[in-house]
Amino acid sequence: MSSHAPLLQFALLSGFVLAITLAMLIAACERPLRRLLVRQAPKQRARLIWWLLVTPALAGIGYMVVTIAMPSVLHDSAKFAAACSAHSDSLWHLCVWHPSENGEVTWLWAVLALLMGYAAWLVARAARSVWRVRQTLVTMLRLSRRSGHADNRLHVVDVEQPLAFACGIGRGHVVLSQSLLDRLDAMQLRVVLAHEQAHLKHRDVFWRLIAVILSGIHLPGVRRRLLRDQELALEQRCDFVAAAAVGCPVIVAEAIVAVEKIFRHHAIQRMPLSMAFLSDFVPERVQALLSPDRESTSHLGSLLGFAVVMFCSLSAGWLHHFTESLIALLAW
């Protein structure tokens, strides 16, 4: 191994330890967090849930980068093997473990290789799913036709199954089926288009895809529930945008119920690169539209952000002690 191997080893360990610890902390606080989030307006709720999904992975990656960069930035990289806030006579930097006097620990490379392999598998699985869906959507768009609507991003496909979704991570497109168009009146069509255009405006497909990829560090049950909560928040936010466009939330609620009746006898196919108008949350969406407005300002996001920053800053202390003790116990 090169002289940089110990630094790389404890940088990787630092990142994984912090990411896993944050994921466990979110899992432990999931119920109270979800109770707090449900009181937020859809716009704030969607943003906060996105950060809950991606924070462990982003914090771990950031922690790893800083662990490697800080010694070089402070021009004293030779001291990295004993650099920690617990040592007043050496260079301070973020770490959760001190390599041994002989450098890296051989068996720890195997553990890190397993963790990195799992992370790579999660990314590869997500990329494979996205690629397959992209091919399907590209074929669908190629076979579609322009509707003649003022929005040139609207595509119509001649299929029997009702379809209504926004797709794409760039400029995006709205796809409707002719069978659905034939059964919608003018106001219902206006609601559907306003809803899907809101997805495109906020780039919901792109941000949701990032959340799906980076949330793999979470426990499966926690991840599944948070992703569903995020999808509901995104749909509700676009419902309110559509309500503002047509001037009445009741009209949007009626359109949702009408489309649900059309879709009732057809299975809903989920695609990672799209946001469909009809979802599993029809009662929740209708209830939100018919309920009094929630307070649009909230300090919950600032409080959660401050808590994460404090946790990361303090982790160089107690996480360092815990990780070193665990490695010493395993190596004993």
Side-chain angles (χ1 to χ4, degrees):
M1 291 290 181
S2 67
S3 60
H4 298 289
L7 177 60
L8 177 62
Q9 191 176 68
F10 76 67
L12 291 171
L13 182 64
S14 298
F16 278 116
V17 167
L18 181 64
I20 293 171
T21 305
L22 277 173
M24 295 300 103
L25 182 61
I26 291 174
C29 302
E30 179 193 4
R31 288 188 177 181
L33 281 174
R34 293 180 74 195
R35 282 197 294 268
L36 290 172
L37 288 169
V38 77
R39 303 173 187 172
Q40 308 299 308
K43 181 178 180 179
Q44 285 78 24
R45 190 164 75 252
R47 182 167 58 247
L48 290 173
I49 293 173
W50 188 86
W51 279 110
L52 286 176
L53 285 164
V54 305
T55 290
L58 291 181
I61 294 171
Y63 207 76
M64 188 185 309
V65 171
V66 173
T67 301
I68 294 174
M70 191 172 286
S72 297
V73 170
L74 298 181
H75 307 292
D76 203 354
S77 58
K79 293 183 178 181
F80 68 79
C84 177
S85 59
H87 299 271
S88 59
D89 59 343
S90 60
L91 178 65
W92 181 87
H93 71 275
L94 300 174
C95 69
V96 296
W97 167 67
H98 290 150
S100 65
E101 295 180 358
N102 296 324
E104 72 272 13
V105 177
T106 304
W107 64 266
L108 194 56
W109 280 118
V111 176
L112 292 171
L114 288 175
L115 290 172
M116 289 187 292
Y118 176 67
W121 176 77
L122 290 175
V123 173
R125 185 182 64 173
R128 182 182 179 186
S129 176
V130 168
W131 177 255
R132 288 180 174 179
V133 172
R134 181 184 180 277
Q135 295 300 99
T136 301
L137 291 174
V138 167
T139 301
M140 187 177 297
L141 291 172
R142 188 181 299 120
L143 297 175
S144 68
R145 54 183 170 81
R146 301 290 184 178
S147 65
H149 191 268
D151 188 348
N152 61 6
R153 294 176 297 180
L154 177 59
H155 298 258
V156 178
V157 289
D158 293 314
V159 293
E160 182 179 353
Q161 181 177 358
L163 297 172
F165 60 86
C167 63
I169 60 177
R171 184 170 178 268
H173 306 277
V174 175
V175 177
L176 298 179
S177 64
Q178 186 62 52
S179 60
L180 182 63
L181 282 174
D182 293 339
R183 301 180 67 175
L184 294 177
D185 61 35
M187 183 56 70
Q188 291 169 346
L189 177 59
R190 185 180 173 190
V191 169
V192 172
L193 290 178
H195 178 101
E196 300 304 337
Q197 288 164 350
H199 280 309
L200 296 182
K201 179 180 178 181
H202 293 98
R203 302 188 70 186
D204 288 341
V205 175
F206 171 77
W207 293 113
R208 187 168 180 270
L209 178 62
I210 297 298
V212 168
I213 294 174
L214 294 182
S215 61
I217 194 72
H218 284 282
L219 293 177
V222 175
R223 177 176 182 266
R224 183 173 59 253
R225 289 187 290 271
L226 287 177
L227 285 173
R228 282 182 60 83
D229 289 347
Q230 185 200 29
E231 183 180 357
L232 172 59
L234 293 175
E235 295 299 333
Q236 289 176 333
R237 182 182 67 182
C238 292
D239 287 340
F240 282 109
V241 173
V246 301
C248 179
V250 176
I251 293 177
V252 178
E254 291 174 346
I256 293 172
V257 174
V259 172
E260 192 272 338
K261 291 179 180 178
I262 296 173
F263 274 78
R264 184 170 296 170
H265 303 295
H266 296 268
I268 302 174
Q269 184 179 6
R270 299 297 180 192
M271 294 186 288
L273 287 178
S274 67
M275 297 291 298
F277 178 81
L278 189 69
S279 62
D280 297 330
F281 311 107
V282 171
E284 293 90 342
R285 291 169 62 186
V286 171
Q287 182 180 2
L289 286 164
L290 302 181
S291 299
D293 292 339
R294 287 187 171 88
E295 183 66 33
S296 60
T297 58
S298 172
H299 300 291
L300 180 59
S302 300
L303 291 174
L304 290 176
F306 178 76
V308 170
V309 171
M310 290 299 297
F311 178 85
C312 293
S313 64
L314 294 174
S315 62
W318 70 268
L319 267 183
H320 175 279
H321 176 73
F322 171 79
T323 308
E324 271 204 337
S325 300
L326 180 60
I327 291 177
L329 179 64
L330 294 175
W332 180 70

